[in-house]
């Protein structure tokens, strides 16, 4: 895992629509670092048995490729065709292309057409509809005994707090966890801090909201 986080080099966006994401990806050869998000690795690597995984907002595919490398059979969704093309190249280069299906179909359609997934993840997706919508939409996609993992910037993350659009996209995991029925889910909602050091030596503090929920079997 690289010490440089996937989000260090990117300026904030003015909106989170499909066309805005596509424009951003087209504006440069690579937007993200190509390394998996450390919070994903921290949450998932200790899980005993890989199975089927749905990743929503996969971007250029680093997390999907990492999951596939761990033995997961991944369906990876994103709004941007350009990001998905890069993700497919990354997967082929890593030798895991046959373990990942990339799609730009609406996530609701992907979920409707699939059985339950053992793992459903979404990291820093910033959906236009908001984080609560994301949790409500993804929860039905989790198979009994499976896990839902939604991670994003906490409202007090220093970087998010400085940028109005990231501030709007930030969420508190405990608040969005209200969307889950506690009789059906074992819920962990936490704030995690970590620091990264960029190539120029600049150290950065990250404060993430981590919602990790296990659906009762
Ligand atoms: C900040 S990037 C994060 C990418 C990747 N998860 C990472 O952490 O590097 C957010 C990604 O989510 C995608 N996205 C936003 N809303 C989405 C939605 N409703 N369905 C699928 N993808 C979405 C965007 O196209 C973009 O690639």
């Amino acid at each position: 895992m690289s010490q440089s986080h996937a989000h260090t080099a990117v300026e904030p966006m003015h909106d989170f629509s499909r066309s805005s994401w596509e424009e951003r990806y087209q504006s440069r050869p690579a937007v993200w670092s190509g390394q998996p998000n450390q919070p994903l690795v921290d949450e998932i690597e200790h899980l005993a048995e890989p199975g089927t995984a749905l990743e929503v907002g996969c971007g250029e595919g680093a997390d999907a490729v990492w999951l596939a490398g761990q033995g997961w059979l991944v369906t990876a969704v994103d709004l941007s065709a350009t990001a998905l093309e890069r993700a497919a190249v990354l997967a082929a280069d890593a030798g895991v292309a046959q373990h990942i299906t990339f799609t730009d179909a609406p996530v609701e359609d992907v979920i409707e057409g699939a059985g339950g997934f053992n793992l459903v993840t979404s990291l820093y997706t910033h959906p236009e509809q908001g984080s609560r919508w994301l949790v409500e939409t993804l929860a039905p996609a989790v198979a009994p005994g499976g896990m839902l993992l939604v991670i994003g910037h906490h409202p007090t993350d220093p970087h998010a707090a400085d940028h109005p659009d990231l501030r709007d996209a930030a969420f508190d995991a405990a608040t969005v966890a209200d969307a889950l029925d506690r009789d059906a889910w074992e819920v962990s909602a936490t704030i995690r801090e970590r620091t990264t050091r960029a190539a120029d030596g600049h150290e950065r503090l990250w404060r993430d909201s981590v919602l990790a929920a296990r659906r009762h079997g």
Side-chain angles (χ1 to χ4, degrees):
M1 173 62 191
S2 152
Q3 285 303 298
S4 69
H5 185 278
H7 297 78
T8 39
V10 177
E11 300 84 37
M13 291 166 59
H14 298 296
D15 73 66
F16 296 117
S17 63
R18 184 183 290 265
S19 58
S20 182
W21 278 114
E22 180 57 19
E23 199 179 307
R24 166 167 272 201
Y25 284 110
Q26 285 185 12
S27 73
R28 61 185 84 182
V31 172
W32 312 116
S33 70
Q35 300 299 317
N37 282 298
Q38 190 61 43
L40 175 80
V41 174
D42 292 345
E43 289 292 328
I44 301 303
E45 95 187 319
H46 64 275
L47 293 184
E49 288 292 326
T52 56
L54 172 65
E55 189 199 357
V56 177
C58 68
E60 291 163 332
D63 286 349
V65 165
W66 181 81
L67 284 167
Q70 301 295 305
W72 293 86
L73 190 60
V74 184
T75 301
V77 185
D78 202 277
L79 298 178
S80 164
T82 298
L84 290 170
E85 281 165 22
R86 293 176 189 162
V89 171
L90 192 71
D93 289 349
V96 295
Q98 70 277 25
H99 301 299
I100 310 176
T101 302
F102 292 107
T103 176
D104 67 354
V107 63
E108 296 94 329
D109 294 355
V110 175
I111 289 170
E112 197 178 309
F117 295 88
N118 304 114
L119 172 67
V120 176
T121 67
S122 192
L123 277 83
Y124 311 103
T125 297
H126 314 326
E128 270 189 312
Q129 304 91 328
S131 298
R132 191 182 174 88
W133 168 85
L134 191 64
V135 173
E136 286 172 346
T137 301
L138 298 188
V142 180
M147 184 175 176
L148 173 65
L149 180 66
V150 177
I151 298 178
H153 303 299
H154 189 266
T156 62
D157 177 278
H159 183 66
D162 279 350
H163 295 101
D165 46 2
L166 282 183
R167 195 166 57 226
D168 288 350
F171 65 93
D172 177 56
T175 304
V176 296
D178 285 349
L180 299 174
D181 174 2
R182 299 304 165 103
D183 289 339
W185 295 87
E186 182 187 324
V187 174
S188 162
T190 54
I191 301 171
R192 306 267 177 90
E193 286 189 355
R194 63 202 165 88
T195 53
T196 57
R197 190 177 293 280
D200 63 4
H202 180 73
E203 198 169 84
R204 178 175 164 183
L205 170 71
W206 299 85
R207 195 171 290 127
D208 289 326
S209 288
V210 179
L211 172 61
R214 172 85 58 189
R215 183 191 278 278
H216 296 319

